[in-house]
Amino acid sequence: LAVKDPTAVERANLLNMAKLSIKGLIESALSFGRTLDSDYPPLQQFFVVMEHCLKHGLKVRKSFLSYNKTIWGPLELVEKLYPEAEEIAASVRDLPGLKTPLGRARAWLRLALMQKKMADYLRCLIIQRDLLSEFYEYHALMMEEEGAVIVGLLVGLNVIDANLCVKGEDLDSQVGVIDFSVYLKSDDDIGGKERNVQIAAILDQKNYVEELNRQLNSTVSSLHARVDSLEKSNTKLIEELAIAKNNIIKLQEENHQLRSENTLILMKTQHHLEVSKVDVEAELQTYKHSRQGLDEMYTEARRQLREEAQLRQDMENELVVQVSMKHEIELAMKLLEKDIHEKQDTLIGLRQQLDEVKAINVEMYQKLQVSEDAMKEKNEIISRLEDKTNQINATMKQLEQRLQQAEKAQMEAEAEDEKLKQEYVNKSESLQNKFSQKEKQLLQLETDLKIEKEWRQTLEDDLQKEKETVSHLRTETQEIVTLKKEFLKLQEKNKQLKSICEDQEAALQELASKLSESKLKIEDIKEANKALQGQVWLKDKEATHCKLCEKEFSLSKRKHHCRNCGEIFCNACSDNELPLPSSPKPVRVCDSCHAILIQRCSSNVP
């Protein structure tokens, strides 16, 4: 016989237990007919079975103090895979009574059942096998097909409504033991197969209705999104249509204006042509009545007509050129104004920088003065300290001399004492008196020596302190020297900035002079244009005499009209001629404004 795998047997047993617990829970809940509480025994057994299923094949994790084996790790992973599970995980972490990871896992299972999303959460967990492998062994129930079967069975629990109180319940210390007596068959169970079939049919219908409801909700949400997008696109199209209508109205108005201008130009040209035709006919009649030079006058009239047409074309071309020049001048004015504003802004910025640099210079000068005063004070202190050290050295030398004298005296006394001991042994009493006196002198000398040593120690301490102050003052002097160097560098930078600022101010002055000249030129051009706009040509009937010689116009004295100032001269008075590239012959020029004169037929000739 083939030996079965014990892990496979465990998985099969757990799967069968899960089937029995889920089936018993659904049947009892439907027969119960109300929302289930946490004290309901089949529900408690279901949670125990689920806990055993999740614990199967769980890896043992080493902690700091002991070995840890809980199901909270994989359940906590669900919130990263399924965003809707974040709310459950947060509420489980915030529960005050839970202290162990197992208690948190039990609370999580109860909240997932109340939400009717336990199957969805575990399905997301089973799909990610690579993440589950961190928590489970390869032969675990959650890693094999049995886990997928249990997730499918959990979908049927969506028909159950549960109202579980998780906050006050002690989930940390519960003992998870499966009660097999609940699942043993009895005579009543055999008799109630028909009722189970009816319940299964009702459950299938309820699942079908819930699935339809979910699909309808998803379609409704998609339709709402489409309606919103269509409304937005409709509003955009309405706005674009309104803009297009406004543009069409504006274009129609512009078209109407252009047509009216075109008709006016046509009317004017027709009128001018009629006037010229009348003048030509009158001149032709005069040429017919006259006997001499009819052919010459006719040809001359034709030539004059061509010249007038050519002059008119030249005038129109010059008018177009003048209009373009005017536009260019306006553009140049705008650009010059922009440049002036920019240059003024840069001038203001440079002045602000100059003021800041001046303020920095003043501050640095004040700091330098303060540092120089401090230097002077420190130099005076150093000189005083040097005087003190000299005095201390002198006193030290005196003390050393006194010490040497005392030592010599002591040596001499000792030598004398030894001599007296050797020579006068018998005169002990007198020698003892002398010896006591010498001892007293020795004690006095020793006390003097101690006092002098203490004094010397104090003087050495003072000398050490003075040396420390001198070293501190030297470091401060070095810092002052570095500050001086920095101040010199800042002064050089200030000079450079001043030179740059002066150059920029000179450039700005040059620009301002050029701009003023260009402004004056533009104002002269504007005044000339205004003067031109105000003047009107005289009518042919009104202009009967020349402006200069005041003689009446005739065939020999023809009219020449200035296009600039509007004056009318005869051909005898307007003798100034200039060559023009557009005409083969030189053109007559006005005496007052030097503009081109236009020859016109005299209307006073019969």
Side-chain angles (χ1 to χ4, degrees):
L1 292 170
V3 179
K4 289 186 178 180
D5 187 10
T7 56
V9 173
E10 287 175 4
R11 288 199 301 271
N13 291 334
L14 285 169
L15 178 62
N16 291 326
M17 285 306 302
K19 284 179 182 178
L20 288 169
S21 64
I22 290 164
K23 185 181 176 183
L25 180 61
I26 292 165
E27 288 175 358
S28 61
L30 290 170
S31 63
F32 195 56
R34 285 183 290 133
T35 55
L36 304 179
D37 297 330
S38 57
D39 297 331
Y40 194 59
L43 189 62
Q44 289 179 354
Q45 285 297 309
F46 165 73
F47 284 127
V48 170
V49 171
M50 281 303 299
E51 191 177 330
H52 279 284
C53 291
L54 289 168
K55 278 182 179 179
H56 184 259
L58 196 68
K59 287 182 180 179
V60 178
R61 293 199 168 205
K62 290 181 181 179
S63 64
F64 184 69
L65 296 172
S66 63
Y67 292 98
N68 191 6
K69 188 176 180 181
T70 58
I71 58 172
W72 175 238
L75 293 178
E76 198 176 10
L77 192 67
V78 175
E79 63 177 319
K80 295 177 183 177
L81 305 172
Y82 204 83
E84 292 181 9
E86 290 178 359
E87 188 179 352
I88 293 177
S91 59
V92 167
R93 289 191 195 96
D94 294 336
L95 282 172
L98 299 175
K99 295 177 182 178
T100 61
L102 185 63
R104 293 192 193 96
R106 287 168 178 169
W108 189 91
L109 288 170
R110 280 156 176 75
L111 290 171
L113 183 68
M114 281 195 284
Q115 277 192 343
K116 295 184 180 181
K117 287 186 178 180
M118 188 188 285
D120 296 333
Y121 294 156
L122 292 177
R123 183 173 58 81
C124 290
L125 194 63
I126 285 166
I127 290 164
Q128 303 291 331
R129 294 283 175 88
D130 53 348
L131 295 173
L132 272 178
S133 61
E134 295 179 4
F135 300 98
Y136 289 101
E137 301 288 345
Y138 68 94
H139 56 78
L141 185 130
M142 295 296 287
M143 299 289 285
E144 297 292 336
E145 292 180 358
E146 286 84 354
V149 174
I150 288 168
V151 170
L153 291 169
L154 288 171
V155 176
L157 294 176
N158 294 335
V159 298
I160 297 169
D161 294 325
N163 187 8
L164 308 174
C165 184
V166 183
K167 193 173 182 181
E169 196 171 355
D170 186 13
L171 298 172
D172 293 326
S173 60
Q174 282 185 2
V175 181
V177 179
I178 300 169
D179 188 9
F180 292 101
S181 64
V182 179
Y183 306 109
L184 296 172
K185 288 186 177 180
S186 61
D187 296 331
D188 297 331
D189 294 331
I190 294 161
K193 283 183 180 178
E194 293 177 358
R195 188 167 56 82
N196 291 334
V197 171
Q198 291 174 359
I199 288 163
I202 291 160
L203 284 171
D204 292 336
Q205 288 175 1
K206 189 175 181 183
N207 289 329
Y208 176 69
V209 169
E210 283 183 351
E211 192 65 33
L212 273 175
N213 195 6
R214 282 184 184 177
Q215 290 178 359
L216 288 169
N217 285 326
S218 64
T219 52
V220 165
S221 62
S222 64
L223 286 169
H224 277 304
R226 285 180 68 188
V227 165
D228 293 333
S229 64
L230 286 167
E231 283 178 354
K232 288 177 182 177
S233 61
N234 194 8
T235 52
K236 284 180 182 177
L237 287 168
I238 288 162
E239 289 173 358
E240 288 175 359
L241 203 144
I243 292 160
K245 281 181 179 178
N246 292 326
N247 290 327
I248 288 160
I249 291 160
K250 287 177 182 177
L251 288 167
Q252 284 177 354
E253 288 175 356
E254 287 178 359
N255 193 4
H256 184 67
Q257 287 178 358
L258 289 166
R259 281 181 179 176
S260 61
E261 287 175 0
N262 196 3
T263 51
L264 285 168
I265 290 161
L266 281 168
M267 290 288 287
K268 285 178 182 178
T269 51
Q270 284 175 1
H271 179 68
H272 285 303
L273 282 167
E274 285 174 1
V275 169
S276 62
K277 279 179 182 179
V278 169
D279 293 336
V280 169
E281 285 174 359
E283 285 183 357
L284 279 169
Q285 285 177 1
T286 54
Y287 294 149
K288 284 177 183 179
H289 287 294
S290 61
R291 292 177 181 178
Q292 294 176 355
L294 288 170
D295 294 331
E296 293 176 0
M297 294 292 287
Y298 182 72
T299 53
E300 196 174 344
R302 289 291 296 274
R303 185 176 57 76
Q304 285 176 357
L305 240 173
R306 285 174 186 171
E307 285 178 358
E308 281 182 0
Q310 201 166 5
L311 284 167
R312 187 181 171 190
Q313 285 180 358
D314 294 336
M315 281 175 64
E316 285 176 354
N317 291 328
E318 284 183 1
L319 206 144
V320 170
V321 170
Q322 278 189 357
V323 168
S324 64
M325 285 285 286
K326 189 178 178 183
H327 286 303
E328 286 176 359
I329 287 160
E330 286 175 356
L331 283 168
M333 276 286 291
K334 287 176 183 177
L335 289 168
L336 285 167
E337 285 175 358
K338 282 182 182 177
D339 289 335
I340 288 162
H341 288 304
E342 288 175 359
K343 292 290 166 44
Q344 283 177 353
D345 294 334
T346 51
L347 247 174
I348 290 159
L350 286 166
R351 280 174 183 165
Q352 287 176 357
Q353 287 178 3
L354 214 154
D355 293 333
E356 288 174 359
V357 169
K358 283 178 181 175
I360 289 161
N361 284 333
V362 170
E363 287 177 3
M364 290 301 293
Y365 185 71
Q366 288 174 358
K367 283 180 181 178
L368 201 142
Q369 283 182 347
V370 171
S371 62
E372 283 178 352
D373 294 334
M375 273 286 291
K376 286 176 183 176
E377 289 176 0
K378 284 169 184 176
N379 286 324
E380 288 175 359
I381 291 161
I382 287 161
S383 61
R384 287 174 190 169
L385 287 167
E386 285 176 353
D387 294 333
K388 279 184 180 179
T389 50
N390 291 324
Q391 289 175 3
I392 288 158
N393 287 322
T395 51
M396 284 286 289
K397 285 177 182 178
Q398 288 175 3
L399 286 166
E400 283 175 356
Q401 287 174 1
R402 285 174 69 186
L403 249 171
Q404 287 173 1
Q405 287 174 3
E407 285 174 355
K408 284 178 182 179
Q410 191 178 358
M411 292 289 288
E412 287 173 358
E414 285 175 356
E416 285 177 0
D417 194 14
E418 286 175 357
K419 285 176 183 178
L420 286 167
K421 277 181 182 180
Q422 288 174 3
E423 289 176 358
Y424 304 103
V425 177
N426 297 322
K427 295 177 181 180
S428 60
E429 290 178 359
S430 61
L431 284 170
Q432 278 178 357
N433 293 325
K434 285 179 182 179
F435 186 72
S436 62
Q437 288 176 1
K438 293 286 179 183
E439 278 182 350
K440 284 178 184 178
Q441 285 178 1
L442 259 170
L443 287 167
Q444 285 178 358
L445 286 166
E446 281 176 357
T447 51
D448 292 334
L449 259 170
K450 283 180 183 178
I451 290 160
E452 284 175 357
K453 280 180 180 178
E454 288 174 359
W455 191 26
R456 188 177 178 181
Q457 190 66 35
T458 52
L459 286 169
E460 283 177 355
D461 294 335
D462 292 334
L463 243 173
Q464 190 66 31
K465 287 178 183 177
E466 294 295 332
K467 281 178 181 177
E468 287 175 358
T469 51
V470 166
S471 64
H472 184 66
L473 288 166
R474 279 176 184 169
T475 53
E476 285 181 354
T477 51
Q478 286 176 359
E479 288 175 359
I480 289 158
V481 169
T482 53
L483 280 169
K484 275 186 178 180
K485 287 178 182 177
E486 287 176 0
F487 180 69
L488 290 168
K489 286 178 183 177
L490 284 169
Q491 278 184 343
E492 288 176 359
K493 283 183 182 177
N494 189 10
K495 285 177 183 177
Q496 289 175 1
L497 286 168
K498 277 183 179 178
S499 63
I500 291 160
C501 187
E502 286 172 359
D503 293 336
Q504 286 177 353
E505 282 179 354
L508 285 168
Q509 284 176 0
E510 287 175 3
L511 278 168
S513 63
K514 285 180 182 177
L515 284 168
S516 62
E517 287 174 3
S518 61
K519 270 193 174 180
L520 289 168
K521 285 179 183 177
I522 289 158
E523 285 174 359
D524 293 337
I525 290 160
K526 282 183 178 178
E527 286 174 1
N529 284 327
K530 283 179 184 177
L532 283 171
Q533 286 173 3
Q535 292 175 354
V536 183
W537 280 16
L538 287 169
K539 293 180 180 179
D540 289 335
K541 291 178 182 179
E542 293 176 359
T544 56
H545 293 78
C546 178
K547 192 74 178 175
L548 290 174
C549 62
E550 295 182 355
K551 290 180 181 180
E552 193 174 357
F553 293 112
S554 64
L555 284 170
S556 59
K557 289 194 175 186
R558 287 186 173 78
K559 295 177 185 178
H560 285 80
H561 197 288
C562 179
R563 65 183 179 82
N564 189 16
C565 60
E567 301 293 340
I568 299 171
F569 305 99
C570 64
N571 54 358
C573 292
S574 57
D575 292 332
N576 296 326
E577 290 184 350
L578 282 172
L580 197 71
S582 60
S583 64
K585 291 186 177 182
V587 181
R588 294 183 184 274
V589 181
C590 179
D591 290 328
S592 59
C593 65
H594 300 289
I596 297 167
L597 295 174
I598 299 164
Q599 187 178 356
R600 299 180 67 181
C601 296
S602 58
S603 61
N604 57 352
V605 178

